[in-house]
Amino acid sequence: MTDGRAPGAAVLPQNPLTSPSGGLQSVEMDPVEYTLRKRLPRKLPKRRNDVYVNMKTDFRAQLARCQKLLEGGGHREICVHGLGLAINRAINIALQLQASSQGALQLAANTSTVELVDDLEPDDPDEAPGEPMTRTRNNSAIHIKVYYPSP
Amino acid sequence: MEPQPASFLSNFKRVGRREDPDPHPIPGLPADILHMRVKEGSKIRNLLRFATARMQGPGQGGGGGGGGGGGALRQVVFTGSGRSLTKTITCVEILKRQVGGLHQVSKLCNNTVSEAWESLRKGVPGVTICRTVPALTILLSMDPLDPQEPGYQPPQRDPHGPPSQHMAPGAKRVRLEEGNRELPSTSSV
């Protein structure tokens, strides 16, 4: 609880202005700096015809993979999953598959919420009084079934 | 001097943008249904405050925004396209958690966007550009919908659901059911 422990340089110049009683209070209020680490989303079931879309892989490669499953792989239906930012890409892939099949493929979309866990680790474990924490947040997801309707 | 193709549109100014939505993405909807159009800049809290006030009726909901007689609405449609797709899904997911027991049908389609561009130089005619953007339409209903419709989802029982739903047996079993989405929910309210 000494003044020297406040690592945030931005807080110290404000002390004479904001807290007339002294620097001690503002040291207590100084938020501990954390590093936020995002854990990977929970493991999902993976069948042969499940495609999990991400934003790192090339779009055309993911589209080609879906086309290969439907045409060469002999699957009557595949499931395209997208989480968060990849929702747009999953929808794009599904609509392009449908467009390139001249209407033979049908789409059935479902939405869900995925719970994600973040780890908060204090930057300086020796000095800072903070403890490692976890925080959960929700993110939206979409699951699109792309299939040939049974006659 | 012909303009280069790369900088073709830099000599033009966009004067109009019209988006033609798919007229009937979900069959059998009444014309006067509450239609929430989610745009790129829409605030989720504004959309949800309005939608929950209308769905929970003037008596229950905290806000008095649900004006007009007739009580609470049973159905609502959310649409979004392009960059607001994610926001549309997030809105629907939050609303499903706030208002329990909602049946859902989701439809994907392509919207046509026609943009009118006007030249900055005199004497050059304007151009019209047609593009397609992916769009999403989600119907939420308190009344049961056709389970055979593609994109149908039955209501989920949520451990953080509204207090009106009574959950006696404890949270563990509910969590199991929530994780296993393939099972059709046997009992509802």
Side-chain angles (χ1 to χ4, degrees):
Chain A
M1 289 278 235
T2 58
D3 285 350
R5 283 192 181 176
V11 178
L12 289 176
Q14 291 176 354
N15 283 345
L17 297 174
T18 53
S19 60
S21 61
L24 277 175
Q25 284 183 345
S26 64
V27 170
E28 279 183 357
M29 286 165 64
D30 189 13
V32 184
E33 296 202 358
Y34 286 99
T35 309
L36 189 132
R37 279 182 208 279
K38 295 175 180 175
R39 285 191 205 165
L40 284 174
R42 65 183 165 81
K43 272 291 174 195
L44 289 157
K46 182 92 168 75
R47 294 164 294 175
R48 284 277 173 83
N49 55 349
D50 273 321
V51 177
Y52 287 93
V53 174
N54 63 13
M55 294 305 284
K56 290 180 184 168
T57 313
D58 183 50
F59 176 81
R60 282 167 300 171
Q62 299 184 71
L63 184 64
R65 187 163 146 221
C66 296
Q67 276 168 338
K68 208 169 157 187
L69 280 174
L70 281 168
E71 287 160 13
H75 289 285
R76 295 288 296 172
E77 66 167 67
I78 63 171
C79 226
V80 183
H81 308 265
L83 172 68
L85 190 61
I87 287 176
N88 262 9
R89 187 170 270 197
I91 292 175
N92 264 324
I93 284 179
L95 284 171
Q96 292 213 13
L97 286 172
Q98 190 189 32
S100 62
S101 75
Q102 280 98 30
L105 285 168
Q106 273 203 17
L107 308 179
N110 278 2
T111 64
S112 71
T113 304
V114 176
E115 204 164 77
L116 298 175
V117 182
D118 294 337
D119 289 322
L120 290 167
E121 296 168 355
D123 272 347
D124 202 345
D126 299 329
E127 288 192 43
E131 290 174 10
M133 294 191 293
T134 59
R135 187 183 292 166
T136 59
R137 66 194 158 89
N138 290 327
N139 208 344
S140 306
I142 194 163
H143 317 274
I144 312 168
K145 192 169 83 168
V146 185
Y147 62 103
Y148 293 103
S150 51
Chain B
M1 286 274 278
E2 290 276 320
Q4 294 293 317
S7 61
F8 177 68
L9 282 176
S10 65
N11 290 325
F12 286 79
K13 192 177 76 177
R14 196 174 78 184
V15 290
R17 182 179 189 275
R18 202 181 74 234
E19 186 161 341
D20 296 326
D22 198 336
H24 300 291
I26 299 176
L29 282 187
D32 58 343
I33 192 168
L34 175 61
H35 188 172
M36 307 292 293
R37 292 176 186 86
V38 183
K39 300 283 171 63
E40 206 181 325
S42 309
K43 296 280 172 274
I44 291 181
R45 59 170 178 274
N46 294 344
L47 294 163
L48 286 176
R49 196 191 303 144
F50 185 80
T52 48
R54 295 292 296 270
M55 290 202 81
Q56 292 176 338
Q60 286 182 27
L73 294 174
R74 309 284 299 171
Q75 292 185 325
V76 62
V77 165
F78 282 83
T79 56
S81 67
R83 287 190 209 166
S84 59
L85 287 170
T86 316
K87 195 172 279 188
T88 310
I89 297 179
T90 307
C91 276
V92 167
E93 287 294 322
I94 297 175
L95 187 66
K96 280 199 294 186
R97 228 175 298 149
Q98 286 182 353
V99 184
L102 286 174
H103 299 255
Q104 177 183 354
V105 169
S106 320
K107 293 283 180 193
L108 294 172
C109 57
N110 274 315
N111 279 2
T112 312
V113 176
S114 52
E115 289 177 347
W117 292 74
E118 202 171 65
S119 176
L120 295 176
R121 286 182 292 180
K122 284 179 185 172
V124 181
V127 290
T128 307
I129 296 176
C130 277
R131 292 185 292 127
T132 57
V133 291
L136 178 66
T137 304
I138 298 181
L139 166 68
L140 290 176
S141 171
M142 293 186 182
D143 305 317
L145 299 167
D146 179 17
Q148 300 304 314
E149 186 74 27
Y152 170 77
Q153 270 177 275
Q156 287 168 15
R157 287 191 287 164
D158 197 290
H160 311 294
S164 60
Q165 276 186 326
H166 191 62
M167 308 251 194
K172 256 186 189 172
R173 222 190 68 194
V174 179
R175 274 205 178 277
L176 274 176
E177 285 173 3
E178 188 200 29
N180 199 349
R181 295 182 199 293
E182 300 300 317
L183 281 175
S185 72
T186 50
S187 67
S188 58
V189 180

